[in-house]
PDB file of all heavy atoms in Angstrom:
ATOM      1  N   GLU E  10      34.330 -47.187  24.231  1.00  0.00           N
ATOM      2  CA  GLU E  10      34.245 -47.502  25.671  1.00  0.00           C
ATOM      3  C   GLU E  10      35.000 -46.441  26.493  1.00  0.00           C
ATOM      4  O   GLU E  10      34.565 -46.001  27.570  1.00  0.00           O
ATOM      5  CB  GLU E  10      34.812 -48.906  25.942  1.00  0.00           C
ATOM      6  CG  GLU E  10      33.891 -50.019  25.478  1.00  0.00           C
ATOM      7  CD  GLU E  10      34.517 -51.387  25.716  1.00  0.00           C
ATOM      8  OE1 GLU E  10      35.730 -51.443  26.134  1.00  0.00           O
ATOM      9  OE2 GLU E  10      33.780 -52.365  25.491  1.00  0.00           O
ATOM     10  N   GLN E  21      30.343 -37.477  37.340  1.00  0.00           N
ATOM     11  CA  GLN E  21      30.487 -37.775  38.816  1.00  0.00           C
ATOM     12  C   GLN E  21      30.578 -36.472  39.582  1.00  0.00           C
ATOM     13  O   GLN E  21      30.982 -35.432  39.071  1.00  0.00           O
ATOM     14  CB  GLN E  21      31.749 -38.617  39.067  1.00  0.00           C
ATOM     15  CG  GLN E  21      31.646 -40.036  38.512  1.00  0.00           C
ATOM     16  CD  GLN E  21      32.957 -40.757  38.745  1.00  0.00           C
ATOM     17  OE1 GLN E  21      33.798 -40.340  39.586  1.00  0.00           O
ATOM     18  NE2 GLN E  21      33.177 -41.877  38.080  1.00  0.00           N
ATOM     19  N   ALA E 148      41.542   8.050  38.997  1.00  0.00           N
ATOM     20  CA  ALA E 148      42.099   7.251  37.903  1.00  0.00           C
ATOM     21  C   ALA E 148      42.098   5.734  38.109  1.00  0.00           C
ATOM     22  O   ALA E 148      42.542   4.996  37.268  1.00  0.00           O
ATOM     23  CB  ALA E 148      43.533   7.658  37.618  1.00  0.00           C
ATOM     24  N   ASP E 193      24.162 -23.715  57.429  1.00  0.00           N
ATOM     25  CA  ASP E 193      24.091 -24.257  58.750  1.00  0.00           C
ATOM     26  C   ASP E 193      24.668 -25.654  58.848  1.00  0.00           C
ATOM     27  O   ASP E 193      25.266 -26.062  59.861  1.00  0.00           O
ATOM     28  CB  ASP E 193      22.641 -24.264  59.247  1.00  0.00           C
ATOM     29  CG  ASP E 193      22.078 -22.862  59.516  1.00  0.00           C
ATOM     30  OD1 ASP E 193      22.877 -21.948  59.756  1.00  0.00           O
ATOM     31  OD2 ASP E 193      20.812 -22.723  59.430  1.00  0.00           O
ATOM     32  N   GLN E 194      24.546 -26.385  57.722  1.00  0.00           N
ATOM     33  CA  GLN E 194      25.110 -27.707  57.662  1.00  0.00           C
ATOM     34  C   GLN E 194      26.463 -27.740  56.903  1.00  0.00           C
ATOM     35  O   GLN E 194      26.946 -28.774  56.530  1.00  0.00           O
ATOM     36  CB  GLN E 194      24.087 -28.661  56.995  1.00  0.00           C
ATOM     37  CG  GLN E 194      22.823 -28.879  57.772  1.00  0.00           C
ATOM     38  CD  GLN E 194      23.074 -29.565  59.093  1.00  0.00           C
ATOM     39  OE1 GLN E 194      23.866 -30.469  59.198  1.00  0.00           O
ATOM     40  NE2 GLN E 194      22.429 -29.019  60.105  1.00  0.00           N
ATOM     41  N   ASP E 234      35.749 -39.415  51.248  1.00  0.00           N
ATOM     42  CA  ASP E 234      34.531 -38.628  51.412  1.00  0.00           C
ATOM     43  C   ASP E 234      34.607 -37.339  50.593  1.00  0.00           C
ATOM     44  O   ASP E 234      33.553 -36.796  50.192  1.00  0.00           O
ATOM     45  CB  ASP E 234      34.285 -38.292  52.844  1.00  0.00           C
ATOM     46  CG  ASP E 234      34.062 -39.537  53.714  1.00  0.00           C
ATOM     47  OD1 ASP E 234      33.581 -40.551  53.163  1.00  0.00           O
ATOM     48  OD2 ASP E 234      34.344 -39.499  54.901  1.00  0.00           O
ATOM     49  N   ASN E 260      53.100 -20.157  45.526  1.00  0.00           N
ATOM     50  CA  ASN E 260      53.170 -18.886  46.268  1.00  0.00           C
ATOM     51  C   ASN E 260      51.910 -18.035  45.984  1.00  0.00           C
ATOM     52  O   ASN E 260      51.411 -18.065  44.862  1.00  0.00           O
ATOM     53  CB  ASN E 260      54.429 -18.054  45.830  1.00  0.00           C
ATOM     54  CG  ASN E 260      55.670 -18.547  46.494  1.00  0.00           C
ATOM     55  OD1 ASN E 260      55.663 -19.113  47.597  1.00  0.00           O
ATOM     56  ND2 ASN E 260      56.806 -18.437  45.818  1.00  0.00           N
ATOM     57  N   SER E 316      56.442 -24.523  58.571  1.00  0.00           N
ATOM     58  CA  SER E 316      56.917 -25.766  57.947  1.00  0.00           C
ATOM     59  C   SER E 316      57.212 -25.655  56.455  1.00  0.00           C
ATOM     60  O   SER E 316      56.899 -26.520  55.634  1.00  0.00           O
ATOM     61  CB  SER E 316      55.903 -26.949  58.178  1.00  0.00           C
ATOM     62  OG  SER E 316      55.638 -27.111  59.550  1.00  0.00           O
ATOM     63  N   THR E 396      43.963 -14.643  71.130  1.00  0.00           N
ATOM     64  CA  THR E 396      43.330 -14.798  69.823  1.00  0.00           C
ATOM     65  C   THR E 396      41.818 -14.815  69.993  1.00  0.00           C
ATOM     66  O   THR E 396      41.303 -15.248  71.026  1.00  0.00           O
ATOM     67  CB  THR E 396      43.832 -16.007  69.090  1.00  0.00           C
ATOM     68  OG1 THR E 396      43.521 -17.213  69.865  1.00  0.00           O
ATOM     69  CG2 THR E 396      45.337 -15.927  68.836  1.00  0.00           C
ATOM     70  N   ASN E 422      45.255  -6.344  44.928  1.00  0.00           N
ATOM     71  CA  ASN E 422      44.865  -6.552  43.545  1.00  0.00           C
ATOM     72  C   ASN E 422      45.483  -5.460  42.673  1.00  0.00           C
ATOM     73  O   ASN E 422      46.315  -4.694  43.120  1.00  0.00           O
ATOM     74  CB  ASN E 422      43.331  -6.630  43.399  1.00  0.00           C
ATOM     75  CG  ASN E 422      42.625  -5.317  43.584  1.00  0.00           C
ATOM     76  OD1 ASN E 422      43.249  -4.240  43.771  1.00  0.00           O
ATOM     77  ND2 ASN E 422      41.323  -5.344  43.519  1.00  0.00           N
ATOM     78  N   ASP E 457      50.095  11.870  51.001  1.00  0.00           N
ATOM     79  CA  ASP E 457      50.253  12.648  49.820  1.00  0.00           C
ATOM     80  C   ASP E 457      50.519  11.745  48.608  1.00  0.00           C
ATOM     81  O   ASP E 457      49.949  12.008  47.487  1.00  0.00           O
ATOM     82  CB  ASP E 457      51.435  13.638  49.985  1.00  0.00           C
ATOM     83  CG  ASP E 457      51.103  14.777  50.951  1.00  0.00           C
ATOM     84  OD1 ASP E 457      49.891  14.972  51.234  1.00  0.00           O
ATOM     85  OD2 ASP E 457      52.033  15.441  51.388  1.00  0.00           O
ATOM     86  N   TYR E 470      53.334   5.580  35.788  1.00  0.00           N
ATOM     87  CA  TYR E 470      53.681   6.620  36.765  1.00  0.00           C
ATOM     88  C   TYR E 470      52.981   6.356  38.116  1.00  0.00           C
ATOM     89  O   TYR E 470      53.559   6.539  39.173  1.00  0.00           O
ATOM     90  CB  TYR E 470      53.291   8.032  36.243  1.00  0.00           C
ATOM     91  CG  TYR E 470      53.728   9.127  37.188  1.00  0.00           C
ATOM     92  CD1 TYR E 470      55.048   9.451  37.431  1.00  0.00           C
ATOM     93  CD2 TYR E 470      52.716   9.869  37.889  1.00  0.00           C
ATOM     94  CE1 TYR E 470      55.412  10.463  38.294  1.00  0.00           C
ATOM     95  CE2 TYR E 470      53.062  10.887  38.757  1.00  0.00           C
ATOM     96  CZ  TYR E 470      54.415  11.183  38.952  1.00  0.00           C
ATOM     97  OH  TYR E 470      54.785  12.169  39.801  1.00  0.00           O
TER      98      TYR E 470
END
Side-chain angles (χ1 to χ4, degrees):
E10 287 179 353
Q21 292 178 15
D193 291 336
Q194 295 298 316
D234 296 333
N260 282 330
S316 302
T396 60
N422 72 2
D457 289 344
Y470 182 68

